[in-house]
Amino acid sequence: MNILRNFVVFEGGDGSGTSTQIELLRNRLNPEQTPEIHRGGKTEPGLRLFATFEPTDSPIGRILRQALRGTLPLKPETVARLFAADRNEHLFGPEGIREHCLAGDLVVSDRYVPSSLVYQGIDCGEALPALLNRDFPLPELLIFFDLDPNIALERLEGRSGRDVYERLDVQLLVRERYRALLPAYAAGEVRLEHLDASRPAEEVAEEVWRILRQMPIFEAWGEES
Ligand code: TYD
């Protein structure tokens, strides 16, 4: 199986708090606060974090956001293909995921292939998203933020506007599909962690940190915090 080392993916239903957790991690790994490493008479920068998300903010990602808002009606198959195209650039484009991983950075993406298998799987059946995403490398670590959709949608209440997937019936299906699909990743070489996302954000952040700290990249840098 093709695993991209140093690559971490956060997955979960809408409102499960993945974006908040990326933000908290960004604060924790702020380059100004991350200690430098002194090795062999040289000073090296501390661990660098490349925090990213899908759909991206590229032109393809912007089309996708319009589709998600319902302001641009597109066929589900078109949406599935656009997500895969956005991902291909995100991975292999300049300063993309692959480049950062190979440079030794810790890369954390808010959503990746499993989102397409779950969400587009609902809209256009399993075969097309599976085919479109078959050849993308897998992350070293996949964290699933599990949350009751009733609570998740309550959390989204204050936000302006709603995406087409932000409905209870869809989110119940989304959670079911994640739970059915993710164990297959753990059967391969991907480390899968299941996290109870109903707890306060700070508590979840501690757990995320504990999980991340077990990655080999932290051993290499000997980072302490
Ligand atoms: P989300 O990650 O919650 O971002 P925001 O906080 O900006 O709303 O929303 C992205 C939506 O995109 C979410 O409903 C899931 C959907 N999505 C897919 O349907 N397929 C995909 O491949 C990806 C990456 C996301």
Side-chain angles (χ1 to χ4, degrees), residues 125-213:
E126 295 187 2
L128 182 65
L131 178 74
L132 293 170
N133 287 280
R134 193 187 51 190
D135 296 332
F136 290 132
L138 295 175
E140 178 181 328
L141 169 65
L142 180 55
I143 306 184
F144 175 50
F145 290 71
D146 195 13
L147 182 60
D148 177 342
N150 289 289
I151 303 173
L153 289 175
E154 251 170 53
R155 287 186 181 175
L156 292 178
E157 224 112 279
R159 286 206 202 165
S160 64
R162 233 168 218 227
D163 281 358
V164 290
Y165 295 131
E166 290 172 10
R167 293 174 11 202
L168 186 60
D169 55 341
V170 177
Q171 291 302 317
L172 287 168
L173 254 180
V174 162
R175 189 187 202 194
E176 205 177 281
R177 286 186 57 81
Y178 268 122
R179 287 174 153 186
L181 192 138
L182 291 180
Y185 284 97
E189 270 179 70
V190 178
R191 180 175 154 219
L192 173 69
E193 294 283 349
H194 184 282
L195 202 145
D196 169 10
S198 68
R199 294 165 300 162
E202 297 298 336
E203 225 176 275
V204 175
E206 286 311 311
E207 171 117 32
V208 167
W209 185 236
R210 190 189 56 74
I211 292 169
L212 288 174
R213 286 299 306 268

Side-chain angles (χ1 to χ4, degrees), residues 47-140:
L47 188 128
R48 279 183 312 241
L49 172 71
F50 176 59
T52 184
F53 52 86
E54 294 187 1
T56 68
D57 51 11
S58 75
I60 303 171
R62 285 200 291 276
I63 296 175
L64 281 164
R65 295 215 178 258
Q66 289 176 45
L68 290 169
R69 270 287 134 124
T71 53
L72 177 66
L74 291 176
K75 303 295 266 179
E77 293 76 13
T78 310
V79 173
R81 290 176 201 278
L82 285 170
F83 269 116
D86 187 40
R87 181 162 301 129
N88 199 63
E89 285 303 311
H90 193 205
L91 266 167
F92 302 118
E95 298 196 34
I97 292 173
R98 187 167 182 278
E99 199 176 306
H100 277 280
C101 286
L102 296 183
D105 298 347
L106 175 68
V107 177
V108 182
S109 182
D110 190 351
R111 301 190 177 282
Y112 185 62
V113 168
S115 282
S116 280
L117 303 183
V118 166
Y119 287 81
Q120 279 62 63
I122 292 172
D123 279 351
C124 57
E126 295 187 2
L128 182 65
L131 178 74
L132 293 170
N133 287 280
R134 193 187 51 190
D135 296 332
F136 290 132
L138 295 175
E140 178 181 328

